[in-house]
Amino acid sequence: MRTWCEIDTAALAENVRSFRRLVGDTTLAPTVKSNGYGHGLLLAARAFLEGGADWLCVDALDEARALRQAGLTCPIYVFGYVPLADLAEVVSLDCRLVVYNRETIDALAALGAPVRIHLKIETGNHRQGVGPEEAVALAALAARATGLTIEGVSSHFANIEDTTDHTYARRQLAVFEGAVAALRAAGHAVPMRHLSNTAAALLWPDQRFEMVRIGVGAYGVWPSKEARVAALLAGRRELALQPALTWKTRIAQVKSVPEGAFVGYGCTYMCTHPTRLAILPVGYADGYDRGLSNLAHVLIRGRRAPIRGRVCMNITMVDVTDIPDAALEDEVVLLGAPAVDGERLTADQVADWAQTISYEIMARIGAHLPRVPVTGSASATAPDPLARAYRLPRT
Ligand SMILES: *Cc1c(COP(=O)(O)O)cnc(C)c1O
């Protein structure tokens, strides 16, 4: 293998166990959308179930189909759009489906088969969902249709992990509770309410309702610095989340270039001294963001090597002048922890360099790259410097 991801499946399972201790018997539904946040759909799904997950969430029907084809029988909740023409497969795959338009209800009703739906309430994110009044109308429509059961009501926060001020999120929560009350007043049972993502599950223990849909936290990564600070300020028990992904490649060539030489497309880097470069067989087509050009570092023999020049489609150049023993085929860590003790490159660090968030860095790691399950890798055991620095005394 020349570029691959090692996935610590024990860490994934352990993260789910940590959330279980936090949420008690609330239905725990980690999401494996986007190739399991880059960890590999099936690796993540199996590890989460091993850790005691009750349900799995996916975005698209394709993901649900892959889970069923792999033999998974757990409840699956599809929370992304399913085209009307594909709705029969929701039934044949035995999935729960988010619903937020009349057309979907009509098309499901026309199938005449039993299917459990979850209404999506618009509470202020202004993406998927309908307002409380329309939700009551949809519920009435669903109640008249044969086969349809309203199993749940959901929503999604717009502004909970990007800030330590949760006024907007509290307003969304109030709209959500109003919608549930309106549905119940109209005579509809609402067995399951759910709107907590990772940040809400961590921050608001009283508002977990019947189910939580956790994502990034199950992969061992905090949603944001703000969420982490807010949790600590609120006196939450520090959750020992374990990152599970290490993205690796190998040195394909080592070469010496003279002072004054330019590196890469656009000649954006000029060597200020005689330089040893290592050439890496990874690039933006693999999900290694071009925004990391001349900015990020990788780890070679446990030491940092800075990127020189632009990240290419399939190739990246790094400076190993100060790592004299760096050699052909040495393992290179792009993200995560090396097998030997040393520094860890967190998804948050790489995201900062690329001016984005950890979610995007992980989700965009090319699905074509092999995911190799490992257990008890350094990523699971390496101490988290932030946790040490910010641990508050227990009260
Ligand atoms: C991705 C997603 C989640 C999980 O969000 P995290 O911030 O990763 O915990 C929950 N619900 C919905 C609808 C989502 O799209």
Side-chain angles (χ1 to χ4, degrees):
M1 285 181 296
R2 60 176 209 173
T3 304
W4 69 100
C5 293
E6 293 176 1
I7 308 300
D8 184 344
T9 50
L12 293 177
E14 194 50 38
N15 290 332
V16 170
R17 285 187 203 104
S18 294
F19 276 96
R20 172 62 71 203
R21 285 190 286 275
L22 194 72
V23 306
D25 56 10
T26 298
T27 297
L28 191 51
T31 174
V32 291
K33 66 186 176 190
S34 305
N35 201 25
Y37 285 44
H39 292 62
L41 174 75
L42 291 176
L43 278 184
R46 291 203 174 98
F48 290 160
L49 292 171
E50 165 74 26
D54 300 302
W55 291 28
L56 295 175
C57 299
V58 297
D59 176 60
L61 210 50
D62 294 349
E63 298 162 328
R65 189 186 314 117
L67 295 177
R68 289 288 184 244
Q69 280 172 354
L72 272 58
T73 55
C74 64
I76 296 176
Y77 174 49
V78 182
F79 60 40
Y81 185 64
V82 174
L84 301 174
D86 298 342
L87 286 171
E89 208 182 354
V90 172
V91 177
S92 62
L93 294 173
D94 189 22
C95 294
R96 275 89 169 164
L97 179 66
V98 71
V99 169
Y100 44 90
N101 62 41
R102 285 162 185 271
E103 292 81 353
T104 300
I105 292 178
D106 288 341
L108 286 172
L111 296 171
V115 55
R116 284 162 288 214
I117 62 169
H118 292 232
L119 297 174
K120 183 77 176 265
I121 310 297
E122 175 56 72
T123 58
N125 208 356
H126 296 113
R127 48 175 223 185
Q128 229 180 14
V130 294
E133 262 176 49
E134 176 70 2
V136 172
L138 291 185
L141 199 61
R144 283 197 299 274
T146 36
L148 265 66
T149 307
I150 301 170
E151 185 179 40
V153 172
S154 73
S155 194
H156 194 54
F157 287 112
N159 199 24
I160 191 158
E161 59 262 317
D162 294 288
T163 173
T164 53
D165 174 358
H166 298 127
T167 314
Y168 195 83
R170 294 229 172 260
R171 214 177 296 154
Q172 283 190 266
L173 183 61
V175 175
F176 181 71
E177 291 185 309
V180 171
L183 284 162
R184 287 183 170 160
H188 302 289
V190 181
M192 299 181 79
R193 299 161 294 169
H194 48 100
L195 78 166
S196 289
N197 55 8
T198 298
L202 291 170
L203 291 170
W204 291 352
D206 317 332
Q207 311 295 351
R208 292 184 194 124
F209 298 113
E210 285 74 44
M211 182 163 95
V212 294
R213 310 179 310 256
I214 55 167
V216 77
Y219 298 94
V221 177
W222 279 76
S224 65
K225 293 190 189 82
E226 289 83 354
R228 190 157 193 178
V229 168
L232 289 170
L233 290 177
R236 298 279 169 275
R237 192 162 48 89
E238 175 74 300
L239 203 65
L241 296 178
Q242 302 178 6
L245 185 149
T246 296
W247 188 6
K248 291 183 174 176
T249 188
R250 287 183 199 286
I251 295 179
Q253 187 185 2
V254 181
K255 64 168 63 172
S256 297
V257 294
E259 183 178 340
F262 291 104
V263 182
Y265 290 129
C267 295
T268 60
Y269 184 82
M270 189 180 76
C271 297
T272 55
H273 50 74
T275 298
R276 282 179 80 240
L277 289 179
I279 315 304
L280 312 180
V282 63
Y284 60 78
D286 300 301
Y288 198 70
D289 199 291
R290 191 165 174 276
L292 297 168
S293 299
N294 283 313
L295 207 50
H297 292 213
V298 301
L299 299 175
I300 296 173
R301 299 193 177 227
R303 299 180 58 192
R304 282 194 182 209
I307 292 183
R308 299 302 191 208
R310 287 202 181 134
V311 172
C312 315
M313 190 181 289
N314 308 110
I315 294 177
T316 297
M317 293 73 79
V318 299
D319 192 331
V320 292
T321 310
D322 297 327
I323 312 175
D325 44 355
L328 180 69
E329 301 228 328
D330 270 4
E331 272 190 14
V332 178
V333 172
L334 305 168
L335 191 172
V340 292
D341 279 352
E343 196 182 2
R344 184 207 300 175
L345 291 176
T346 63
D348 288 313
Q349 171 70 82
V350 177
D352 276 353
W353 279 322
Q355 296 188 38
T356 181
I357 53 174
S358 59
Y359 293 71
E360 185 179 359
I361 293 296
M362 296 190 292
R364 289 182 60 202
I365 299 174
H368 60 287
L369 301 175
R371 266 62 174 182
V372 183
V374 295
T375 294
S377 78
S379 62
T381 52
D384 181 332
L386 195 66
R388 247 184 341 211
Y390 289 103
R391 180 154 298 141
L392 298 183
R394 297 244 162 102
T395 48

mmCIF file of all heavy atoms in Angstrom, residues 98-120:
data_model
loop_
_atom_site.group_PDB
_atom_site.id
_atom_site.type_symbol
_atom_site.label_atom_id
_atom_site.label_comp_id
_atom_site.label_asym_id
_atom_site.label_seq_id
_atom_site.Cartn_x
_atom_site.Cartn_y
_atom_site.Cartn_z
ATOM 1 N N VAL A 98 -36.581 9.904 7.349
ATOM 2 C CA VAL A 98 -36.980 11.273 7.657
ATOM 3 C C VAL A 98 -37.925 11.737 6.547
ATOM 4 O O VAL A 98 -37.748 11.392 5.378
ATOM 5 C CB VAL A 98 -35.750 12.203 7.745
ATOM 6 C CG1 VAL A 98 -35.129 12.464 6.383
ATOM 7 C CG2 VAL A 98 -36.113 13.530 8.406
ATOM 8 N N VAL A 99 -38.964 12.503 6.930
ATOM 9 C CA VAL A 99 -39.941 12.972 5.946
ATOM 10 C C VAL A 99 -40.238 14.443 6.204
ATOM 11 O O VAL A 99 -40.388 14.859 7.358
ATOM 12 C CB VAL A 99 -41.245 12.138 6.035
ATOM 13 C CG1 VAL A 99 -42.348 12.778 5.216
ATOM 14 C CG2 VAL A 99 -40.993 10.715 5.564
ATOM 15 N N TYR A 100 -40.287 15.224 5.145
ATOM 16 C CA TYR A 100 -40.606 16.641 5.310
ATOM 17 C C TYR A 100 -41.326 17.199 4.089
ATOM 18 O O TYR A 100 -41.223 18.394 3.776
ATOM 19 C CB TYR A 100 -39.342 17.457 5.642
ATOM 20 C CG TYR A 100 -38.130 17.100 4.812
ATOM 21 C CD1 TYR A 100 -37.869 17.733 3.611
ATOM 22 C CD2 TYR A 100 -37.264 16.087 5.227
ATOM 23 C CE1 TYR A 100 -36.783 17.397 2.844
ATOM 24 C CE2 TYR A 100 -36.163 15.737 4.466
ATOM 25 C CZ TYR A 100 -35.928 16.397 3.271
ATOM 26 O OH TYR A 100 -34.836 16.052 2.512
ATOM 27 N N ASN A 101 -42.014 16.312 3.333
ATOM 28 C CA ASN A 101 -42.899 16.835 2.284
ATOM 29 C C ASN A 101 -44.056 15.868 2.028
ATOM 30 O O ASN A 101 -43.980 14.678 2.352
ATOM 31 C CB ASN A 101 -42.133 17.170 1.002
ATOM 32 C CG ASN A 101 -41.479 15.955 0.379
ATOM 33 O OD1 ASN A 101 -42.069 14.871 0.336
ATOM 34 N ND2 ASN A 101 -40.259 16.115 -0.093
ATOM 35 N N ARG A 102 -45.126 16.430 1.470
ATOM 36 C CA ARG A 102 -46.331 15.647 1.201
ATOM 37 C C ARG A 102 -46.078 14.580 0.148
ATOM 38 O O ARG A 102 -46.631 13.476 0.219
ATOM 39 C CB ARG A 102 -47.432 16.557 0.652
ATOM 40 C CG ARG A 102 -48.046 17.413 1.686
ATOM 41 C CD ARG A 102 -48.801 18.601 1.095
ATOM 42 N NE ARG A 102 -49.231 19.408 2.220
ATOM 43 C CZ ARG A 102 -50.386 19.227 2.840
ATOM 44 N NH1 ARG A 102 -51.249 18.331 2.407
ATOM 45 N NH2 ARG A 102 -50.691 19.950 3.899
ATOM 46 N N GLU A 103 -45.265 14.923 -0.826
ATOM 47 C CA GLU A 103 -45.039 14.009 -1.945
ATOM 48 C C GLU A 103 -44.470 12.680 -1.461
ATOM 49 O O GLU A 103 -44.834 11.608 -1.951
ATOM 50 C CB GLU A 103 -44.082 14.645 -2.971
ATOM 51 C CG GLU A 103 -44.676 15.844 -3.717
ATOM 52 C CD GLU A 103 -44.616 17.159 -2.939
ATOM 53 O OE1 GLU A 103 -44.226 17.153 -1.747
ATOM 54 O OE2 GLU A 103 -44.972 18.200 -3.522
ATOM 55 N N THR A 104 -43.559 12.756 -0.495
ATOM 56 C CA THR A 104 -42.957 11.529 0.040
ATOM 57 C C THR A 104 -44.011 10.688 0.764
ATOM 58 O O THR A 104 -44.065 9.463 0.612
ATOM 59 C CB THR A 104 -41.784 11.871 0.986
ATOM 60 O OG1 THR A 104 -40.804 12.590 0.242
ATOM 61 C CG2 THR A 104 -41.153 10.618 1.565
ATOM 62 N N ILE A 105 -44.866 11.370 1.535
ATOM 63 C CA ILE A 105 -45.908 10.632 2.254
ATOM 64 C C ILE A 105 -46.869 9.967 1.259
ATOM 65 O O ILE A 105 -47.210 8.783 1.400
ATOM 66 C CB ILE A 105 -46.666 11.572 3.219
ATOM 67 C CG1 ILE A 105 -45.699 11.997 4.342
ATOM 68 C CG2 ILE A 105 -47.909 10.893 3.793
ATOM 69 C CD1 ILE A 105 -46.280 12.949 5.345
ATOM 70 N N ASP A 106 -47.263 10.713 0.234
ATOM 71 C CA ASP A 106 -48.163 10.145 -0.779
ATOM 72 C C ASP A 106 -47.526 8.939 -1.465
ATOM 73 O O ASP A 106 -48.176 7.912 -1.664
ATOM 74 C CB ASP A 106 -48.520 11.201 -1.835
ATOM 75 C CG ASP A 106 -49.471 12.250 -1.278
ATOM 76 O OD1 ASP A 106 -50.117 11.966 -0.242
ATOM 77 O OD2 ASP A 106 -49.548 13.348 -1.866
ATOM 78 N N ALA A 107 -46.264 9.086 -1.819
ATOM 79 C CA ALA A 107 -45.587 7.997 -2.539
ATOM 80 C C ALA A 107 -45.418 6.772 -1.644
ATOM 81 O O ALA A 107 -45.558 5.628 -2.105
ATOM 82 C CB ALA A 107 -44.229 8.468 -3.054
ATOM 83 N N LEU A 108 -45.114 6.993 -0.364
ATOM 84 C CA LEU A 108 -45.006 5.856 0.571
ATOM 85 C C LEU A 108 -46.378 5.204 0.751
ATOM 86 O O LEU A 108 -46.493 3.970 0.779
ATOM 87 C CB LEU A 108 -44.462 6.323 1.927
ATOM 88 C CG LEU A 108 -42.972 6.670 1.989
ATOM 89 C CD1 LEU A 108 -42.634 7.308 3.347
ATOM 90 C CD2 LEU A 108 -42.095 5.429 1.777
ATOM 91 N N ALA A 109 -47.412 6.044 0.859
ATOM 92 C CA ALA A 109 -48.767 5.507 1.049
ATOM 93 C C ALA A 109 -49.172 4.648 -0.145
ATOM 94 O O ALA A 109 -49.804 3.601 0.013
ATOM 95 C CB ALA A 109 -49.756 6.658 1.247
ATOM 96 N N ALA A 110 -48.771 5.087 -1.341
ATOM 97 C CA ALA A 110 -49.129 4.351 -2.558
ATOM 98 C C ALA A 110 -48.493 2.960 -2.564
ATOM 99 O O ALA A 110 -49.003 2.037 -3.198
ATOM 100 C CB ALA A 110 -48.688 5.140 -3.788
ATOM 101 N N LEU A 111 -47.369 2.812 -1.873
ATOM 102 C CA LEU A 111 -46.722 1.494 -1.795
ATOM 103 C C LEU A 111 -47.549 0.529 -0.949
ATOM 104 O O LEU A 111 -47.470 -0.688 -1.114
ATOM 105 C CB LEU A 111 -45.316 1.618 -1.190
ATOM 106 C CG LEU A 111 -44.278 2.419 -1.984
ATOM 107 C CD1 LEU A 111 -43.024 2.633 -1.141
ATOM 108 C CD2 LEU A 111 -43.929 1.700 -3.279
ATOM 109 N N GLY A 112 -48.283 1.121 0.020
ATOM 110 C CA GLY A 112 -49.148 0.315 0.869
ATOM 111 C C GLY A 112 -48.408 -0.621 1.816
ATOM 112 O O GLY A 112 -48.997 -1.538 2.369
ATOM 113 N N ALA A 113 -47.126 -0.404 1.976
ATOM 114 C CA ALA A 113 -46.325 -1.287 2.837
ATOM 115 C C ALA A 113 -46.058 -0.600 4.178
ATOM 116 O O ALA A 113 -46.117 0.619 4.261
ATOM 117 C CB ALA A 113 -45.005 -1.609 2.143
ATOM 118 N N PRO A 114 -45.763 -1.371 5.209
ATOM 119 C CA PRO A 114 -45.474 -0.742 6.504
ATOM 120 C C PRO A 114 -44.139 -0.007 6.472
ATOM 121 O O PRO A 114 -43.136 -0.556 6.018
ATOM 122 C CB PRO A 114 -45.427 -1.914 7.485
ATOM 123 C CG PRO A 114 -45.187 -3.125 6.644
ATOM 124 C CD PRO A 114 -45.715 -2.836 5.282
ATOM 125 N N VAL A 115 -44.139 1.234 6.910
ATOM 126 C CA VAL A 115 -42.886 1.999 6.987
ATOM 127 C C VAL A 115 -42.986 3.023 8.114
ATOM 128 O O VAL A 115 -44.025 3.634 8.320
ATOM 129 C CB VAL A 115 -42.539 2.662 5.622
ATOM 130 C CG1 VAL A 115 -43.679 3.516 5.118
ATOM 131 C CG2 VAL A 115 -41.260 3.465 5.698
ATOM 132 N N ARG A 116 -41.869 3.160 8.836
ATOM 133 C CA ARG A 116 -41.831 4.085 9.980
ATOM 134 C C ARG A 116 -41.156 5.384 9.549
ATOM 135 O O ARG A 116 -40.061 5.356 8.989
ATOM 136 C CB ARG A 116 -41.060 3.453 11.143
ATOM 137 C CG ARG A 116 -41.888 2.399 11.862
ATOM 138 C CD ARG A 116 -41.021 1.500 12.699
ATOM 139 N NE ARG A 116 -40.252 0.602 11.848
ATOM 140 C CZ ARG A 116 -39.914 -0.652 12.169
ATOM 141 N NH1 ARG A 116 -40.287 -1.157 13.322
ATOM 142 N NH2 ARG A 116 -39.203 -1.393 11.343
ATOM 143 N N ILE A 117 -41.845 6.471 9.808
ATOM 144 C CA ILE A 117 -41.293 7.767 9.383
ATOM 145 C C ILE A 117 -41.015 8.673 10.587
ATOM 146 O O ILE A 117 -41.602 8.490 11.667
ATOM 147 C CB ILE A 117 -42.229 8.485 8.384
ATOM 148 C CG1 ILE A 117 -43.578 8.800 9.038
ATOM 149 C CG2 ILE A 117 -42.412 7.658 7.122
ATOM 150 C CD1 ILE A 117 -44.446 9.739 8.201
ATOM 151 N N HIS A 118 -40.095 9.603 10.366
ATOM 152 C CA HIS A 118 -39.756 10.608 11.373
ATOM 153 C C HIS A 118 -39.928 11.981 10.729
ATOM 154 O O HIS A 118 -39.288 12.271 9.719
ATOM 155 C CB HIS A 118 -38.307 10.433 11.839
ATOM 156 C CG HIS A 118 -38.080 9.174 12.629
ATOM 157 N ND1 HIS A 118 -37.477 9.177 13.872
ATOM 158 C CD2 HIS A 118 -38.389 7.878 12.351
ATOM 159 C CE1 HIS A 118 -37.422 7.923 14.323
ATOM 160 N NE2 HIS A 118 -37.963 7.111 13.424
ATOM 161 N N LEU A 119 -40.812 12.791 11.281
ATOM 162 C CA LEU A 119 -41.029 14.128 10.717
ATOM 163 C C LEU A 119 -39.878 15.043 11.109
ATOM 164 O O LEU A 119 -39.388 15.002 12.241
ATOM 165 C CB LEU A 119 -42.348 14.711 11.231
ATOM 166 C CG LEU A 119 -43.614 13.948 10.829
ATOM 167 C CD1 LEU A 119 -44.833 14.558 11.522
ATOM 168 C CD2 LEU A 119 -43.785 13.966 9.307
ATOM 169 N N LYS A 120 -39.437 15.857 10.151
ATOM 170 C CA LYS A 120 -38.339 16.783 10.440
ATOM 171 C C LYS A 120 -38.899 18.179 10.623
ATOM 172 O O LYS A 120 -39.554 18.729 9.728
ATOM 173 C CB LYS A 120 -37.338 16.764 9.275
ATOM 174 C CG LYS A 120 -36.100 17.632 9.473
ATOM 175 C CD LYS A 120 -35.105 16.980 10.419
ATOM 176 C CE LYS A 120 -33.819 17.757 10.583
ATOM 177 N NZ LYS A 120 -32.761 17.309 9.700
#
